Amino acid sequence: EQSGVTSHADTGGDCAACHTAPWDPTPMAQRCLDCHSDIAADLTDATTLHGALQSQGADMDCRQCHTEHRVALRLMHPPV
């Protein structure tokens, strides 16, 4: 479990498995697709959810829907 996140628990707490250094030009969404090759394939097929979003020109990246750390961050930094 990573800060309350269980969906990527198989990374063993290795943050670098997903996150790059701030100076790395690789977009986070590309890092997601490097592991989630099934979703990368879906992006080319407009009959799938991810492909339909892509084909409609939706300016989205993975984090807009997949908010793995959002709950943990809210617990660490509650609104004032």
Side-chain angles (χ1 to χ4, degrees):
E1 185 173 318
Q2 302 167 21
S3 303
V5 179
T6 57
S7 62
H8 289 96
D10 59 334
T11 63
D14 177 16
C15 298
C18 297
H19 298 279
T20 61
W23 54 86
D24 187 323
T26 308
M28 188 68 209
Q30 183 57 53
R31 297 280 300 187
C32 297
L33 295 175
D34 289 346
C35 287
H36 297 280
S37 56
D38 55 332
I39 302 302
D42 284 354
L43 289 172
T44 64
D45 180 356
T47 65
T48 66
L49 171 64
H50 294 96
L53 291 170
Q54 180 91 357
S55 69
Q56 292 175 9
D59 187 24
M60 299 179 70
D61 68 14
C62 305
R63 293 179 293 177
Q64 287 181 288
C65 295
H66 302 279
T67 56
E68 277 70 8
H69 295 298
R70 191 167 287 170
V71 172
L73 289 175
R74 215 176 308 136
L75 293 173
M76 291 176 3
H77 304 286
V80 180

